[in-house]
Amino acid sequence: MSEPTAATRDELAIRPARFSECAEIAALAATLMPETWSEAQLSSEIALPEGRVWVARGARALLGFLVARRELDELHVLLTGVEPAARRRGTASRLFRAVLERERGLARVHLEVRESNAGAQAFYRALGLHSSGHRPRHYPGGEAAILMSRSLESRG
C-alpha cells in the first residue's frame, strides 16, 4: 500500500455520528471483531447524554469509528475500529486525537484492550496511554483485558 498524499489525508472528516449511520457503523464493527455492538446499541449510546459515538469518513465511505462514554472529566473508550483498507494511514490516530481535542475539560482517558491484541496495545501506547491494570476473564470466552489510561492536561 502506498502512502496517501496530503490531499487524500485531508479528505478525512471526523464528527459525531448520526442515528442514520448506526447500521453502517455496526456493519463495519461486525467485520472487525467477534463480539460487537448492534445498530440498536449504537443508537441507544448516541441518545445518552454521556454517550459519544464519533465517525471518521472519507470522501465516499465510513473509514472508522470510536464509541465512548463521558463521565465528568473522564472519557472511557468502549469500542474503536478502522476499515482494513484505511489502516496504516493515520485514520485511527487522527480520530482518537480529534475526539480528545473536542471533548473539552478531560482529565483522563481510559480503555480496555484484549490481552492478545499486541497491535492495539502498541497503538494506544503510541498515543500516550500506559498499562494501568489487568482484568482477568473480561471478554466473552475468558480472555483478559489490559487496562490502559492516560492523564490529560486540563483543556478548559
Side-chain angles (χ1 to χ4, degrees):
M1 218 181 292
S2 63
E3 181 68 15
T5 65
T8 303
R9 286 181 187 252
D10 291 341
E11 290 178 14
L12 189 65
I14 298 170
R15 60 169 172 71
R18 299 178 181 125
F19 286 106
S20 62
E21 294 172 304
C22 290
E24 189 178 15
I25 297 165
L28 175 56
T31 68
L32 301 174
M33 52 202 81
E35 306 90 23
T36 193
W37 291 35
S38 68
E39 178 180 355
Q41 288 170 306
L42 289 162
S43 292
S44 294
E45 195 67 26
I46 289 174
L48 291 173
E50 66 275 13
R52 304 293 191 271
V53 181
W54 291 79
V55 293
R57 296 197 74 91
R60 295 182 184 91
L62 175 69
L63 298 179
F65 61 87
L66 185 147
V67 179
R69 285 230 176 114
R70 173 84 186 243
E71 298 289 340
L72 302 173
D73 63 353
E74 293 190 359
L75 190 70
H76 183 182
V77 176
L78 302 168
L79 187 68
T80 62
V82 171
E83 172 66 44
R87 292 184 180 163
R88 305 270 184 229
R89 296 180 177 203
T91 302
S93 58
R94 288 177 67 188
L95 176 60
F96 198 90
R97 287 184 179 115
V99 170
L100 293 183
E101 178 63 31
R102 293 174 189 172
E103 289 288 333
R104 298 285 185 204
L106 288 176
R108 176 169 298 286
V109 60
H110 55 94
L111 53 85
E112 294 89 18
V113 63
R114 286 181 178 275
E115 189 172 49
S116 65
N117 195 340
Q121 292 173 47
F123 168 73
Y124 291 123
R125 277 193 302 276
L127 291 173
L129 282 83
H130 65 278
S131 296
S132 56
H134 183 264
R135 189 169 285 150
R137 297 175 304 285
H138 177 70
Y139 292 102
E143 186 171 358
I146 301 298
L147 309 178
M148 299 186 79
S149 65
R150 175 180 158 196
S151 292
L152 303 166
E153 59 186 57
S154 177
R155 288 189 269 245

